[in-house]
Structure formats: C-alpha cells, structure tokens
Amino acid sequence: MTSSSPPDALSSLLQRSFPSAVSSPPPDGDASQLSTKLYPDTKYTDAEKAEIVQWTTTSSRLSTSSSDDSKTTELLQTLNNHLSTRTTLLGSKPSVADIALYARIAPIVAKWTPEERTGEHGYHHIVRHLDFVQNASLFGLKLSQDDKVKVDVDDVRFVHKPLDPKEEKERKKKEKAAAAAAAAGGEEGGQKPLIVGGQGRGQGGGSGGGRSKKEKTKEQVAESQDAAKPSSTGEISAPPNAPRTKKEKQPKPPKQPAKTDPPLSPALIDLRVGHILKATTHPNAEMLYVSTIACGDREGADNTSLYENQVVRTVCSGLNGLIPLSEMQDRKVIVVCNLKPVTMRGVKSAAMVLAASPRAKEGEGGGDGHGGPVELVRPPEGAVAGERVWFEGWEGEPLEVLNPKKKVWEACQVGFTTTEGLEVGFEAGVVELLAGEGEIRQGVSRLVTKSGGVCRVESLRGAVVR
C-alpha cells in the first residue's frame, strides 16, 4: 500500500481476516481504497482518506531496532498524544491504518514492562488502542488468543486525572486574561508618549493640569446652570450636589404558590441508553466495578467528564463476581441518570446500571436479592448512547434529580420486572401508590426506546429489575 507493499505481518493478517476482499499478495495502491474495500459501510471524507495514507506511512516507520530508539520514541509520543482523544486513528471510524499500526506495534508493546505500558510516563492510549483493535468486532480481525498481545486491564500503574471541561474552560479564561494584562502592561510601560508644555496636560491625559482656580470655578457654575435647564421631557434635573430624595417603596410582588410535586409515575425516572466505554474493578471495594459510560450528556454538565473525546459519567455497580469484567466492556446498557450522585468507597457514582436477578421465592425471606444469576438489561440493536427510554403508556418528562426524601425510585422500582417473553416491563398493579392506575392499565408496560425497540434480558423471567 501507499509507496510499498505491506509488511509480512500485515499481509498475513489482512489475508487471514479478509480473504474475499484481499488478494494474495495484497495489491499495491492507496491505503484509503483498501479501507473502503474492507469496510464498505464506512464513508470517508477526503481529509480522512489523506489521514489514512499518512498514518499507514507513519506506522511503517516504527521499528524495534535499537538503532532507531530516538526516532521510535518520538513517533510513539506523537501517536500516544493523538490517541488520547480518539478511539481509532480517525476518531471512531475503522480503517486499514489501525490494522497497519497494530501489525507493526504489537511486537513492540508485547516487550514493554507494565510501567512502560501504564506507568506515569507510559503509553496508556497506545495500549488501549491496541487492545481495542485486536478484540473489537468493529475491525473484524481473525486472531487467536495466542496471536493477541496479553493486556491486563486491571494493571494500571498510574491513573491520569480526567480532563474536567469546567476546569479547562477556566484555565483558558485565565490565560486569556493574563495575556491581555501583559499587553496592557506593555503599553503602560513607556510605549505611549509623555506630552508636556503647550496644552498643559499631564501624563495621564487629564484636562485640569494647567487651569487656574478661577477658570475651574467658572466651569462648575456653568455645569450647575446646565443641570437646572429643562430636559427634552420637561423635567428639571437636580444640581450635582443636591441631596437625594428617598424613593417611595414599591409594593412587594405577591408570593408565587409553592410548587406541587408531580404525581407518582415511572416517567419521572430518567432512563437512557448508555455505552460502557471501559470498566475496571474498584480500587477499594472488591464487589464493585467502576465503569466509564457515555449517556448523551452535554459537555460541561454536572457530574460528567471527558474520556476519549466523549462526555461520560463514572458509575459504580455491585456486579463484581456476578458478571465477568469482560462482559462489561464496550457494550450498551440501560442507566438511571437522575439519581442523586453518591460516593462509594472514594469514587463518586453518577448513575446506575439496570440489571435483572431472580425474585426471592415466597417463604425464603430476605426480600429480592442479587445472590443468584444477574443479567444486564439490553437495549435493542441500533440504540445510541443518550437515547431516552420509557415504559409504554407512561411517557413524560423526567425530573432533573430525584429527591431521595420523596422515594420516587423506591416506589416505582417495585413494579420493574421481566415477562415470559424476556421483555423488561413495568407492572403498575403491584405499586401501592399506583393501585388505581393499575386497574386502568392492566398487564405489563414494556420498556422501549424512543426509536421504538424493546429492552430485554437474556434468560430471566419474572425477575426483579433494578
């Protein structure tokens, strides 16, 4: 590709992964053309096509040779910085440039120590990109477990603080103010000429430096006379030194009636599709996972941060030991987004992931527990992060934040369940405060996305969902 044929490792990987799209040997030519052939559903702009060629060429310059250590280090730093705000080399689109980079850099990363991978000065983003390319179905690579570079997602030696949009905005504001102050200081430091003599003005440009006391008195009298003249509205202005008269007190506006609480409804709960970008074990609690989830929030929203150029929430969930960590990676889930944030063993959690577990049998006691199998609630195929989710027949605007004292979540969650058809639903009849509604809305209302798909679970029927 580009100026020469691909390296043997890349040729072998492309032929093995895309036998019908790549001839043997792979043809010379533009890397962007091969990208279009491998990923026909992905559309590339002209700028992206040029970027594919550029990164394919750049990756070919990476070397494991010790003689090129300085050049390799410089390239790795450039690459790591580029990937710090991107999922793939193009941002989120797959291309042959990602595969070419993987084929070249995999043997390099395999030799790195844990400190070189995820230490304070390690190449975190390169390791993350490599693991994503070799495992994500987005790229469709045919790699055995022996072929893949072993990456321990739990072995993170140094955690970089996420970029806070508010702090970044404030930092830029201060830098701009400092630059303006420096420019103003330069002008005051002698760039403006000092005028003396003829007009009698001082350095500050004032108008009273050379006038006599008599002239000043005449000017004050003239100002007083002007102030006493009628204005265009017929009113006479008070002299400059006249005492001020007290203003009449205006009547206070009537008090607004106190806001009444909206009637109880599951529509008050802000349910959305979430995309788990990554999940790790909690550093201080063995039963918790800490997930980074995109929920469709605007940049700068409360309790959010930026990760890989996406606005995300940090979410703690008690699923460690119940769901494998590998199943928590790069997947869509349903999240409750308006619960009041809580700090769990030092980590602030700003949402909750919905999961289903078996309902306790009558007479067993202990209520509904998570002791048995647990399954995450799955949104329908094609659902996007941030898409609103609600129960059929219970549409409405959710509250910004659920007041813990009102117990809206606790009251409605009792009705969250799964059907014989493995659909997630809401049964109003079992919610005490909605007993009357239950008579009107018989049966179970399905949990659906705004685009119309139904949310489901894998195998649990009649389960508790929370």
Side-chain angles (χ1 to χ4, degrees):
M1 295 179 298
T2 62
S3 59
S4 62
S5 60
D8 291 341
L10 177 58
S11 301
S12 175
L13 180 57
L14 289 174
Q15 292 174 34
R16 186 166 67 252
S17 302
F18 307 97
S20 61
V22 179
S23 59
S24 179
D28 290 341
D30 197 320
S32 63
Q33 295 179 6
L34 184 55
S35 294
T36 302
K37 196 172 183 181
L38 299 185
Y39 305 108
D41 295 332
T42 302
K43 305 300 180 185
Y44 303 103
T45 64
D46 290 341
E48 288 171 336
K49 290 177 180 178
E51 198 170 352
I52 292 172
V53 175
Q54 175 189 345
W55 280 114
T56 304
T57 304
T58 300
S59 66
S60 68
R61 296 204 301 266
L62 286 169
S63 173
T64 56
S65 170
S66 59
S67 62
D68 294 326
D69 275 352
S70 60
K71 293 183 179 179
T72 299
T73 300
E74 183 179 350
L75 285 173
L76 290 175
Q77 290 173 345
T78 301
L79 177 61
N80 194 64
N81 291 336
H82 179 78
L83 290 171
S84 65
T85 57
R86 295 165 176 82
T87 303
T88 68
L89 288 172
L90 297 182
S92 59
K93 297 178 182 179
S95 72
V96 75
D98 294 283
I99 303 175
L101 175 63
Y102 173 83
R104 173 64 71 174
I105 208 167
I108 300 176
V109 176
K111 297 178 182 179
W112 283 350
T113 65
E115 192 65 28
E116 288 176 306
R117 292 186 179 194
T118 59
E120 183 173 0
H121 303 292
Y123 301 107
H124 296 240
H125 305 294
I126 291 178
V127 175
R128 185 262 309 155
H129 175 264
L130 174 140
D131 196 42
F132 182 60
V133 172
Q134 68 182 4
N135 288 302
S137 58
L138 178 69
F139 290 97
L141 298 184
K142 300 295 188 294
L143 292 166
S144 67
Q145 290 302 318
D146 292 337
D147 293 331
K148 295 179 181 179
V149 177
K150 302 297 185 294
V151 176
D152 186 352
V153 296
D154 294 326
D155 187 7
V156 179
R157 300 300 173 96
F158 183 83
V159 178
H160 291 274
K161 182 181 178 181
L163 179 64
D164 189 313
K166 291 183 179 179
E167 291 181 2
E168 182 68 7
K169 185 178 180 181
E170 188 64 26
R171 182 186 66 79
K172 291 180 179 179
K173 185 177 179 182
K174 289 180 179 178
E175 287 180 354
K176 188 175 181 181
E187 292 179 356
E188 292 174 1
Q191 294 180 12
K192 289 187 176 179
L194 176 64
I195 302 175
V196 294
Q199 297 182 2
R201 296 181 182 267
Q203 182 178 354
S207 60
R211 291 177 301 160
S212 66
K213 184 175 181 181
K214 185 177 180 180
E215 289 174 339
K216 292 181 180 179
T217 303
K218 287 182 179 180
E219 186 175 312
Q220 290 175 357
V221 171
E223 288 177 354
S224 299
Q225 290 174 347
D226 289 340
K229 292 179 181 178
S231 66
S232 60
T233 60
E235 296 179 354
I236 298 178
S237 302
N241 298 325
R244 295 182 181 179
T245 57
K246 292 184 178 180
K247 293 182 179 179
E248 293 183 4
K249 290 185 177 180
Q250 299 294 327
K252 293 182 178 180
K255 291 185 177 180
Q256 297 294 329
K259 291 184 178 180
T260 57
D261 293 330
L264 183 67
S265 166
L268 301 178
I269 301 170
D270 187 1
L271 297 171
R272 305 184 207 168
V273 175
H275 183 190
I276 301 179
L277 302 180
K278 72 168 183 176
T280 61
T281 55
H282 194 296
N284 304 318
E286 61 180 11
M287 298 302 293
L288 297 180
Y289 286 143
V290 180
S291 302
T292 301
I293 306 180
C295 301
D297 296 289
R298 60 175 176 79
E299 187 172 339
D302 291 341
N303 305 306
T304 65
S305 60
L306 285 180
Y307 176 78
E308 294 184 351
N309 213 28
Q310 296 190 59
V311 180
V312 297
R313 298 186 182 209
T314 298
V315 181
C316 296
S317 54
L319 300 173
N320 194 355
L322 299 172
I323 294 179
L325 183 59
S326 59
E327 294 183 15
M328 296 288 291
Q329 311 295 331
D330 188 28
R331 67 171 297 165
K332 301 288 179 62
V333 291
I334 301 298
V335 287
V336 182
C337 291
N338 61 344
L339 295 174
K340 186 176 181 180
V342 294
T343 299
M344 304 177 72
R345 300 294 294 273
V347 177
K348 189 176 183 181
S349 179
M352 184 176 71
V353 178
L354 277 190
S357 59
R359 194 178 299 274
K361 295 180 180 178
E362 188 176 353
E364 287 184 351
D368 298 327
H370 274 313
V374 175
E375 297 176 358
L376 294 174
V377 175
R378 303 195 322 266
E381 289 292 331
V384 297
E387 186 174 354
R388 282 287 314 282
V389 182
W390 55 69
F391 294 101
E392 289 178 321
W394 295 93
E395 296 84 351
E397 284 300 315
L399 296 173
E400 185 175 348
V401 179
L402 295 178
N403 187 342
K405 295 181 180 179
K406 302 297 182 181
K407 304 292 184 184
V408 174
W409 164 253
E410 291 81 358
C412 291
Q413 182 273 323
V414 176
F416 288 23
T417 187
T418 59
T419 66
E420 287 298 312
L422 301 177
E423 296 174 335
V424 177
F426 177 71
E427 188 175 2
V430 301
V431 179
E432 183 177 351
L433 297 177
L434 293 177
E437 292 282 355
E439 296 174 4
I440 300 172
R441 311 184 197 208
Q442 295 290 337
V444 176
S445 302
R446 300 184 305 172
L447 184 64
V448 297
T449 59
K450 184 178 181 180
S451 54
V454 182
C455 301
R456 302 174 180 273
V457 293
E458 189 70 28
S459 63
L460 295 175
R461 296 178 172 84
V464 176
V465 176
R466 58 185 178 188

